[in-house]
Amino acid sequence: MINEINSVNPSIVPNNKVTGNSKPKDIDNSNSVKNNKKYDSIEINKLIEDNERRINDFKEMIRKMIAKQGEKSNLTLFGQKLNVSVEDSQKATAAIAEGGEYSVDAVATRIMDMAKALSGGDKSKISLLRDAVKRGFEAAGLEFNDGAGLPDICNQTYDEIMKRFDEWEKE
């Protein structure tokens, strides 16, 4: 527990040497009483409360600033309102479309390639890998959209991965 709080006067250096226009350490000034004041728990709690109030006020100011910027948004993602340019929107649409870098087929292929690489091609590991993918998608769904679940493209990707696990198992 804190028994005493002393302020530090950076203008005074050890051995009572004086720097600049500061006074030696032994000269009394109006801050000396304040510097040696012992604080009780009530005063400390008040200081903590004041600090927490300032932090909360600052957070609220930032929240209001972000909300004001959000008024001009055209997309909501993870509860955040965003402004997405037409160009960025077109790029994202192309990336998830058939043949795109994040299409159902492309993502399912990458996940299956990783699963096969991790298992060394050992089919006895399929159940373990399938369960790991299921848990990963479940966890992502809990984190996405306040637990409301994943977008449809993610569900399509999940279905495609499970289909590929079934096909691998039958080989």
Side-chain angles (χ1 to χ4, degrees):
M1 176 169 196
I2 299 173
N3 293 326
E4 183 176 342
I5 299 175
N6 294 316
S7 65
V8 177
N9 187 345
S11 64
I12 299 176
V13 293
N15 298 327
N16 289 338
K17 292 183 182 176
V18 179
T19 59
N21 293 329
S22 63
K23 297 177 184 177
K25 188 175 181 180
D26 58 328
I27 295 178
D28 188 28
N29 63 32
S30 60
N31 290 332
S32 65
V33 173
K34 187 176 181 181
N35 290 343
N36 293 321
K37 180 178 180 182
K38 290 188 178 184
Y39 289 91
D40 64 17
S41 63
I42 294 171
E43 291 171 305
I44 291 171
N45 288 335
K46 172 112 175 66
L47 291 170
I48 291 169
E49 288 172 12
D50 289 345
N51 190 47
E52 287 174 352
R53 181 187 47 77
R54 283 187 205 96
I55 290 169
N56 288 333
D57 289 348
F58 180 73
K59 285 179 181 178
E60 181 64 16
M61 178 186 70
I62 297 298
R63 189 195 64 74
K64 286 178 182 178
M65 289 170 55
I66 291 171
K68 188 173 183 178
Q69 290 174 1
E71 292 170 0
K72 300 175 184 175
S73 70
N74 59 4
L75 174 72
T76 301
L77 181 65
F78 298 111
Q80 296 288 324
K81 293 186 177 196
L82 306 171
N83 189 352
V84 178
S85 71
V86 172
E87 181 182 313
D88 288 340
S89 179
Q90 290 170 341
K91 285 180 184 177
T93 300
I96 64 171
E98 190 172 328
E101 183 179 3
Y102 297 102
S103 66
V104 170
D105 180 61
V107 173
T109 298
R110 284 194 295 271
I111 290 174
M112 289 306 298
D113 287 348
M114 180 184 288
K116 289 179 180 180
L118 289 171
S119 70
D122 183 358
K123 288 185 180 184
S124 69
K125 307 281 186 199
I126 290 176
S127 177
L128 177 69
L129 294 165
R130 186 189 319 252
D131 288 343
V133 170
K134 285 179 183 178
R135 286 193 310 271
F137 272 83
E138 287 170 1
L142 293 173
E143 294 296 321
F144 191 82
N145 202 16
D146 293 327
L150 296 169
D152 190 47
I153 191 167
C154 296
N155 296 325
Q156 292 171 17
T157 303
Y158 173 84
D159 292 342
E160 181 63 24
I161 294 166
M162 293 302 126
K163 177 182 150 203
R164 291 183 188 195
F165 272 123
D166 292 340
E167 291 170 355
W168 181 26
E169 202 168 35
K170 290 177 185 174
E171 289 177 357

